Amino acid sequence: MGLAGCLGNNDEEADDGQQERQYDGPEGAVEKYLIALEEGDLEAANEVLHPNANAYPIDDTGDIENFTIGDIEAVSPAEYVERFPGVGSEQEQDIEDALREIQDLIGADEVVNVIVTFEDPPDGLETDAIEEDKMVYFAIRDEGDWQVASTLRE
């Protein structure tokens, strides 16, 4: 899988001289989740998947493979509306209210939308994608850690 333009990640040198990937912030949590799915690493996927996510716990990555991430970006409700022409500006407040409601419902510190743009969209990944090459995830900060959900259960 290729990674281009991914935000919020740093590489640090491990004791053995190898570069160890660090996943920071909402974008890093989403990137780590997608990489874990592609690699079939259920433990790593579940580690970053929020316990209130409908998909939690993942027990099978299925046929998710063959994708290239182009960009990962956390966006405000206003930026979300700008990115998707089918979403009207009158829905900006609805998006903001929904994020706040999710935050209150699960007791999170912060909830943001993260848009993933794929250069090559994944095979086998079920999604409610607004556009064929874009997916939106919730990034949830809880007690300082960022986790991911595509949909949440109460």
Side-chain angles (χ1 to χ4, degrees), residues 37 42 57-64:
L37 287 179
L42 299 176
I58 292 178
D59 57 7
D60 180 12
T61 60
D63 298 324
I64 300 167

Side-chain angles (χ1 to χ4, degrees), residues 14 18 22 40 56 58 62 71 76-78 84 105 107 111 127 129 143-144 148:
Q18 297 292 319
Q22 300 296 310
Y56 185 85
I58 292 178
D71 190 36
S76 69
F84 299 107
L105 182 68
V111 179
T127 178
E143 297 181 13
V148 177

Side-chain angles (χ1 to χ4, degrees), residues 1 29-40 45 48 64 67 69 72 116 118 122 125 135 137 148:
M1 176 182 74
V30 171
E31 181 182 4
K32 181 178 180 180
Y33 174 70
L34 290 171
I35 289 170
L37 287 179
E38 184 181 47
E39 293 176 351
V48 74
I64 300 167
F67 61 89
I69 296 172
I72 300 177
V116 178
F118 293 96
L125 186 60
M135 292 178 52
Y137 288 92
V148 177

Side-chain angles (χ1 to χ4, degrees), residues 50 99 102-104 106-112 139-146:
H50 194 277
L99 293 174
I102 291 167
Q103 182 176 338
D104 293 344
I106 62 176
D109 298 330
E110 185 178 2
V111 179
V112 297
I140 302 160
R141 187 173 55 84
D142 197 8
E143 297 181 13
D145 294 325
W146 284 97

Side-chain angles (χ1 to χ4, degrees), residues 15 23 37 39 64 68 77 85 95-96 105-106 119 126 132 149:
D15 292 340
Y23 298 95
L37 287 179
E39 293 176 351
I64 300 167
T68 304
I95 294 167
E96 192 172 311
L105 182 68
I106 62 176
E119 290 178 9
E126 293 181 24
E132 186 176 310

